[in-house]
Amino acid sequence: MSTRSTAHILLVEDEPKVASFIKKGLQTQTYVADVALTGTEGKRLFATNPYDLVILDINLPDFSGLDLAESIRRQDRKIPILMLTALDTTADKLLGFDAGADDYLAKPFDFMELLARVKALLRRSTASEDADRILRVADLELDRHERVARRRGQTIELTAREYALLEYLMRHAGRVVSRVDIAEQVWDIGFDTGTNVIDVYVSYLRAKIDKDSPTKLIHTLIGMGYVLKEK
């Protein structure tokens, strides 16, 4: 997140009417929005301009928005990415998160919900910059500037969603967090807590954090939620 007074947003959306609608709505909130109608144009704009957030459609005419998300994430590990798509199954959401998305909004959507998610992502990005750089629990550490996790000195490769989940658990180390807490604070508003996506991502994270260590840090409390702590 930059220090500019107005957030600069890149919108990659191949439907001109939808792109125009979103851009005008963002402008009423004093955001500056650049529009790309193709993945190629989106990639070019991202490479030549500083942005605070990317809104990205998955179904683009030249290549998948998932590929563009991965490209953006390789260049910038911190920038929030909000994906828009007509595909809204759990499997589709997992693909989007694995590609580097921080949030996921299915079409059709209400603009006020889109705006709320944009504000939440920008707010979380700013808060992340202002907080302590290194979080530590036992031999696990999270560098919040570099967005890198390490355990016993070994770097752990995380997707954007896994990183956000781990950061939340470490910030609340020793406290039980429920699935609703995670849905609201990590998945932001409007997420369907009836799906098993949260359980799936905790499982992914546990496999990466605890698999090769004799000391397990991520614990499940049946009927309550999860806690990250050293027993």
Side-chain angles (χ1 to χ4, degrees):
M1 179 72 177
S2 77
T3 58
R4 294 188 299 276
S5 59
T6 299
H8 195 184
I9 297 173
L10 172 60
L11 170 62
V12 187
E13 165 61 62
D14 68 321
E15 297 182 41
K17 290 183 178 180
V18 174
S20 177
F21 167 73
I22 295 174
K23 178 175 181 175
K24 289 178 180 178
L26 292 172
Q27 288 175 332
T28 65
Q29 302 297 315
T30 73
Y31 296 128
V32 175
D34 294 340
V35 174
L37 298 178
T38 66
T40 301
E41 178 66 4
K43 183 179 290 188
R44 185 191 68 78
L45 286 173
F46 187 81
T48 55
N49 297 285
Y51 291 105
D52 299 297
L53 181 140
V54 177
I55 300 174
L56 173 60
D57 188 15
I58 288 183
N59 294 318
L60 299 173
D62 46 356
F63 56 84
S64 172
L66 296 173
D67 294 332
L68 180 55
E70 291 177 346
S71 175
I72 290 173
R73 189 57 73 210
R74 284 194 296 269
Q75 298 174 63
D76 190 328
R77 297 177 64 89
K78 299 179 182 180
I79 189 167
I81 300 175
L82 170 60
M83 281 193 166
L84 305 178
T85 180
L87 307 174
D88 62 353
T89 68
T90 297
D92 293 321
K93 292 176 181 178
L94 289 173
L95 286 173
F97 292 143
D98 286 343
D102 295 282
D103 200 2
Y104 194 109
L105 186 59
K107 295 179 178 179
F109 56 83
D110 183 90
F111 178 76
M112 295 309 296
E113 182 176 2
L114 171 67
L115 182 60
R117 294 188 182 220
V118 165
K119 289 181 177 179
L121 288 171
L122 290 171
R123 184 169 59 247
R124 192 169 71 196
S125 180
T126 300
S128 176
E129 289 188 350
D130 294 338
D132 292 340
R133 173 172 178 168
I134 304 294
L135 298 177
R136 290 188 178 88
V137 177
D139 55 0
L140 173 66
E141 70 174 32
L142 193 70
D143 187 322
R144 303 178 76 239
H145 285 197
E146 295 183 6
R147 294 177 68 90
V148 171
R150 300 181 182 89
R151 188 157 192 194
R152 292 179 295 175
Q154 299 297 312
T155 299
I156 302 168
E157 294 295 330
L158 300 174
T159 66
R161 184 58 53 171
E162 290 167 351
Y163 173 89
L165 176 58
L166 179 60
E167 180 183 20
Y168 182 73
L169 291 173
M170 292 187 72
R171 285 174 53 207
H172 298 81
R175 292 169 48 190
V176 178
V177 295
S178 68
R179 290 171 176 80
V180 173
D181 292 331
I182 294 172
E184 292 179 348
Q185 301 299 321
V186 180
W187 266 253
D188 298 318
I189 66 171
F191 188 82
D192 181 6
T193 56
T195 71
N196 67 340
V197 171
I198 292 173
D199 302 301
V200 168
Y201 267 87
V202 170
S203 177
Y204 286 168
L205 194 58
R206 181 181 280 125
K208 293 185 177 182
I209 297 299
D210 287 340
K211 181 179 179 181
D212 298 322
S213 176
T215 303
K216 308 307 178 185
L217 297 178
I218 301 176
H219 309 280
T220 301
L221 280 73
I222 297 175
M224 298 176 65
Y226 304 97
V227 60
L228 189 149
K229 66 178 182 179
E230 182 179 18
K231 282 191 175 181

